[in-house]
Amino acid sequence: MGEFKVHRVRFFNYVPSGIRCVAYNNQSNRLAVSRTDGTVEIYNLSANYFQEKFFPGHESRATEALCWAEGQRLFSAGLNGEIMEYDLQALNIKYAMDAFGGPIWSMAASPSGSQLLVGCEDGSVKLFQITPDKIQFERNFDRQKSRILSLSWHPSGTHIAAGSIDYISVFDVKSGSAVHKMIVDRQYMGVSKRKCIVWGVAFLSDGTIISVDSAGKVQFWDSATGTLVKSHLIANADVQSIAVADQEDSFVVGTAEGTVFHFQLVPVTSNSSEKQWVRTKPFQHHTHDVRTVAHSPTALISGGTDTHLVFRPLMEKVEVKNYDAALRKITFPHPLLFMDLLDERTLVAVERPLDDIIAQLPPPIKKKKFGT
């Protein structure tokens, strides 16, 4: 028997975490993705959807909301009641601030990017001023009776819409008082549900508020009068997320059935200037709940419990039929996962540069002939 080299190789089962929320940055064409274990990933959509940054999570840090503000500043909030800002250069958490409202369920940055809103478990909506180094508490809005699950700014920055349990509130930003309270319909397939959860709201420039709820409905409200304009029953389960295009000519919603629906603003007739919202395209790229959606200029983005991040291109928006026109489904992270040897008995999965790991590997074991 001649000499030979032996390398020990051990395998592990990689179990990815579900996607909780995404936030698209139109200025830098980047997408921030938060998973249920608290990790945050940043994808560069201009560079073949490459995952260029990664922030490790923690079991005690469950992220429920994610948003960009002032261009390149990324914030998150979660059930631990803290607001965090990420340092995109050092790849760590810059600071964490307690909002003193219990668990945080929703967050939204103002159209100018200078203010931040959070919706809390105790029914409070809190406004923070974004300073160059940190965020500073400014004031509370009128407290509601139940938790604030969704928030949306009017593009002018003068009003906000807040979705809660069984109703939607419209606030005046200057005074902090509630202007309207709109009760949502609990009817679901002819049966009255006990509670109706407003999972998402979107405030449009013309004063229309679009809401999605646990009754499987997409509803359109007039914020000036506080009345329901139109309702679409699109699912037999919860409609959990909504995102509107910057031009406000289309929006996308995700359901608990794994379906993504696309709505577009189209003319009533071929020669008419009057337009209406029409459900145009359903997509079934997920197997479980679609917890979050985003709308880029050329694609519909969705993620959920099945851990998949899906990019569905809008073919009418893609000018050149190139690589960007293909459907993307990101299942596994881009960085390689290695087994780092801590001692003779313990192996852990880490994300490290290949050169560093090779430099620290022990020399190969040499086996000699028996009797030598």
Side-chain angles (χ1 to χ4, degrees):
M1 182 181 293
E3 294 186 358
F4 59 91
K5 297 179 181 180
V6 176
H7 286 276
R8 294 175 181 174
V9 179
R10 300 183 184 182
F11 298 93
F12 67 101
N13 292 325
Y14 171 65
V15 181
S17 300
I19 296 175
R20 179 59 191 91
C21 50
V22 299
Y24 175 71
N25 189 330
N26 196 17
Q27 298 181 8
S28 62
N29 199 22
R30 283 173 169 80
L31 183 75
V33 179
S34 174
R35 298 187 180 267
T36 53
D37 60 354
T39 61
V40 175
E41 306 163 358
I42 297 180
Y43 293 84
N44 189 342
L45 306 190
S46 301
N48 289 335
Y49 299 76
F50 178 71
Q51 179 187 314
E52 62 179 13
K53 299 179 188 297
F54 175 83
F55 298 88
H58 194 271
E59 296 178 356
S60 63
R61 193 168 66 237
T63 303
E64 285 291 326
L66 199 66
C67 74
W68 297 90
E70 283 196 344
Q72 302 297 321
R73 298 178 66 175
L74 180 63
F75 296 88
S76 73
L79 299 182
N80 59 356
E82 293 182 341
I83 305 171
M84 296 181 295
E85 182 177 359
Y86 296 89
D87 191 331
L88 301 182
Q89 301 300 324
L91 295 182
N92 57 21
I93 297 175
K94 187 181 296 186
Y95 60 86
M97 175 181 292
D98 198 328
F100 296 101
I104 299 175
W105 292 94
S106 55
M107 180 172 58
S110 64
S112 62
S114 60
Q115 293 175 309
L116 198 67
L117 274 176
V118 295
C120 303
E121 173 75 20
D122 62 356
S124 63
V125 178
K126 299 178 182 293
L127 181 65
F128 291 84
Q129 190 73 28
I130 300 177
T131 62
D133 299 325
K134 213 172 181 180
I135 60 174
Q136 183 177 355
F137 175 76
E138 191 168 335
R139 69 170 176 275
N140 282 318
F141 286 28
D142 289 347
R143 180 170 295 184
Q144 305 301 299
K145 294 182 180 180
S146 57
R147 65 185 62 155
I148 307 298
L149 295 165
S150 52
L151 290 167
S152 179
W153 287 79
H154 188 272
S156 65
T158 58
H159 292 80
I160 64 167
S164 189
I165 300 176
D166 292 335
Y167 61 88
I168 302 169
S169 301
V170 179
F171 293 92
D172 181 85
V173 175
K174 187 175 182 179
S175 63
S177 58
V179 179
H180 292 292
K181 181 177 288 187
M182 299 168 286
I183 308 299
V184 297
D185 188 8
R186 298 184 183 183
Q187 292 291 327
Y188 172 72
M189 303 296 288
V191 180
S192 179
K193 295 188 69 175
R194 184 173 59 180
K195 291 182 179 179
C196 185
I197 303 172
V198 182
W199 288 116
V201 290
F203 215 147
L204 304 185
S205 300
D206 61 357
T208 301
I209 297 175
I210 309 173
S211 66
V212 296
D213 54 44
S214 60
K217 296 178 180 179
V218 176
Q219 296 183 317
F220 298 83
W221 306 82
D222 187 347
S223 63
T225 59
T227 57
L228 178 64
V229 177
K230 195 173 184 180
S231 180
H232 292 266
L233 179 62
I234 65 170
N236 296 326
D238 295 32
V239 184
Q240 297 181 317
S241 51
I242 181 173
V244 182
D246 290 340
Q247 294 79 13
E248 297 184 356
D249 57 353
S250 69
F251 68 90
V252 57
V253 298
T255 71
E257 299 173 330
T259 308
V260 175
F261 291 96
H262 186 208
F263 286 76
Q264 289 180 290
L265 190 62
V266 299
V268 176
T269 60
S270 59
N271 298 324
S272 174
S273 60
E274 183 182 357
K275 296 183 178 181
Q276 65 178 356
W277 288 102
V278 177
R279 185 180 67 187
T280 56
K281 302 172 185 176
F283 306 113
Q284 187 75 41
H285 301 303
H286 296 274
T287 59
H288 294 74
D289 300 31
V290 180
R291 299 295 302 273
T292 180
V293 291
H295 200 311
S296 76
T298 58
L300 306 178
I301 306 167
S302 58
T305 309
D306 61 0
T307 74
H308 297 161
L309 184 62
V310 178
F311 297 85
R312 175 75 185 187
L314 298 173
M315 300 307 297
E316 65 272 15
K317 301 289 186 179
V318 179
E319 298 180 358
V320 181
K321 302 301 184 291
N322 54 11
Y323 192 58
D324 294 333
L327 174 69
R328 309 290 186 87
K329 181 181 286 190
I330 299 176
T331 306
F332 297 101
H334 289 284
L336 298 177
L337 295 174
F338 295 97
M339 304 303 291
D340 193 17
L341 184 62
L342 297 184
D343 51 44
E344 294 181 356
R345 299 181 180 179
T346 307
L347 288 172
V348 296
V350 295
E351 177 187 338
R352 296 168 54 189
L354 181 59
D355 295 339
D356 295 346
I357 294 179
I358 294 177
Q360 295 183 10
L361 287 175
I365 302 173
K366 294 185 177 181
K367 297 293 184 181
K368 297 183 178 181
K369 295 181 180 180
F370 292 103
T372 58

